[in-house]
Amino acid sequence: MVTVMRNSACITIPAYIAAFFLLVPVSWAEKPSEWTKVTRQEVLEILENTDEGEKPDLSTMDFRGEDMSDIDFKQATFFYTDMRNVDLSGSDFSGSKMDLAILDGANLKGARLRNAAMNNVGMDDVNLQDADLSGTRLLAELHRSDLSNANLSGVDAAANMANQPMGMLRTQGQSTKFRNADLSNADFSYCVLTFADFRGANLENVDFTYCDLSEADFTGADLTNVNLSKATLAGAVFSNIKGRDTITGLDTARGIDRAKGLGYPD
């Protein structure tokens, strides 16, 4: 069970429906009364004492103020765990379940998040430079976060169409940096990535269908076989891109007459 505060009322709900109850952006959510403050040593003991074949459960814990760098968290569960402004650099979250985790301001430089589940995660102002998120399911707020040189190949960041009645969940990132990152074969359809920095990025086979890419900078990026169907491109910059002739969906892209470098016209 998970206890949360809503409008000054204490409400206890089953954990499996908590994600639906907390569909507001994670950074706005109030602290659940049972969040448990833990030290680095206590976390290491939990990981060490988890029975073989079991997955460590670090749900609803409070990591703030602790150094959690270079820890092997593989396959652990971090449901609604508070990791705001925590140093997690070099830690391994591969295969972890991180739904509703709060990571705003965290340092995840060089962290490994391969094949993690990150649904409705708060990740504003996060340092993800050189991080490995390949194959991860990512529905997050990434405003102003830095994913320069990160590996996002095969990331599934597409909107969760099944939740349209409750407000379609989508990855959003204003002024997010993807400079020189590898996003090949990723799905960012229906995302909002305005003012994003994709300079020098590998975007081969990325699906940007219906994505809002207004004012994004693609200078020097590889857009081979990118899908821009119904994408919003007003103010976007496409100078010196690779694979221009292989881009699909330009005939349905929106604001293309206000994009630079695609010749519609400039």
Side-chain angles (χ1 to χ4, degrees), residues 112-226:
R112 294 174 292 284
L113 299 114
R114 293 173 57 89
N115 301 310
M118 306 180 74
N119 291 288
N120 201 18
V121 175
M123 298 179 74
D124 291 343
D125 302 295
V126 172
N127 181 358
L128 283 157
Q129 297 176 30
D130 305 306
D132 185 355
L133 294 92
S134 55
T136 290
R137 172 58 172 154
L138 182 66
L139 282 175
E141 288 191 344
L142 293 164
H143 304 303
R144 301 170 303 279
S145 290
D146 190 348
L147 292 95
S148 298
N149 301 301
N151 182 0
L152 293 99
S153 59
V155 160
D156 179 6
N160 188 345
M161 304 297 289
N163 284 315
Q164 288 188 80
M166 292 172 286
M168 185 167 59
L169 300 179
R170 67 184 75 199
T171 292
Q172 302 184 57
Q174 186 177 66
S175 301
T176 304
K177 294 180 181 178
F178 297 96
R179 194 167 185 177
N180 298 315
D182 181 3
L183 289 83
S184 57
N185 302 300
D187 188 349
F188 280 88
S189 53
Y190 292 88
C191 293
V192 178
L193 296 170
T194 55
F195 295 93
D197 182 356
F198 291 103
R199 287 178 290 174
N202 178 9
L203 303 171
E204 289 187 73
N205 303 308
V206 172
D207 188 350
F208 283 126
T209 300
Y210 279 105
C211 185
D212 188 348
L213 297 165
S214 302
E215 306 294 338
D217 190 348
F218 294 91
T219 300
D222 186 347
L223 277 77
T224 301
N225 296 320
V226 162

Side-chain angles (χ1 to χ4, degrees), residues 24-266:
V24 296
V26 176
S27 56
W28 301 352
E30 297 175 66
K31 180 177 178 178
S33 60
E34 86 285 9
W35 261 353
T36 303
K37 186 72 179 74
V38 289
T39 65
R40 177 186 176 95
Q41 185 57 41
E42 288 170 334
V43 167
L44 291 174
E45 289 174 0
I46 291 171
L47 296 171
E48 182 179 353
N49 295 324
T50 299
D51 293 337
E52 186 176 354
E54 298 293 322
K55 296 181 179 180
D57 191 350
L58 300 167
S59 299
T60 65
M61 292 187 178
D62 186 348
F63 285 15
R64 289 177 297 169
E66 296 292 323
D67 177 3
M68 299 292 184
S69 61
D70 299 306
I71 294 179
D72 186 350
F73 289 116
K74 288 194 295 289
Q75 302 295 322
T77 298
F78 297 89
F79 178 82
Y80 209 55
T81 302
D82 191 341
M83 295 179 272
R84 283 175 287 180
N85 302 307
V86 174
D87 184 1
L88 301 159
S89 58
S91 289
D92 193 343
F93 296 88
S94 299
S96 293
K97 294 183 178 180
M98 306 178 73
D99 296 347
L100 284 168
I102 308 174
L103 290 155
D104 299 321
N107 179 12
L108 283 156
K109 184 174 182 178
R112 294 174 292 284
L113 299 114
R114 293 173 57 89
N115 301 310
M118 306 180 74
N119 291 288
N120 201 18
V121 175
M123 298 179 74
D124 291 343
D125 302 295
V126 172
N127 181 358
L128 283 157
Q129 297 176 30
D130 305 306
D132 185 355
L133 294 92
S134 55
T136 290
R137 172 58 172 154
L138 182 66
L139 282 175
E141 288 191 344
L142 293 164
H143 304 303
R144 301 170 303 279
S145 290
D146 190 348
L147 292 95
S148 298
N149 301 301
N151 182 0
L152 293 99
S153 59
V155 160
D156 179 6
N160 188 345
M161 304 297 289
N163 284 315
Q164 288 188 80
M166 292 172 286
M168 185 167 59
L169 300 179
R170 67 184 75 199
T171 292
Q172 302 184 57
Q174 186 177 66
S175 301
T176 304
K177 294 180 181 178
F178 297 96
R179 194 167 185 177
N180 298 315
D182 181 3
L183 289 83
S184 57
N185 302 300
D187 188 349
F188 280 88
S189 53
Y190 292 88
C191 293
V192 178
L193 296 170
T194 55
F195 295 93
D197 182 356
F198 291 103
R199 287 178 290 174
N202 178 9
L203 303 171
E204 289 187 73
N205 303 308
V206 172
D207 188 350
F208 283 126
T209 300
Y210 279 105
C211 185
D212 188 348
L213 297 165
S214 302
E215 306 294 338
D217 190 348
F218 294 91
T219 300
D222 186 347
L223 277 77
T224 301
N225 296 320
V226 162
N227 186 352
L228 292 174
S229 299
K230 303 295 180 68
T232 300
L233 305 177
V237 178
F238 292 88
S239 300
N240 300 314
I241 61 171
K242 302 176 184 177
R244 163 67 178 82
D245 295 338
T246 68
I247 298 173
T248 59
L250 288 176
D251 56 328
T252 63
R254 303 166 181 179
I256 196 169
D257 57 324
R258 287 172 284 159
K260 303 173 183 178
L262 290 176
Y264 279 91
D266 293 342

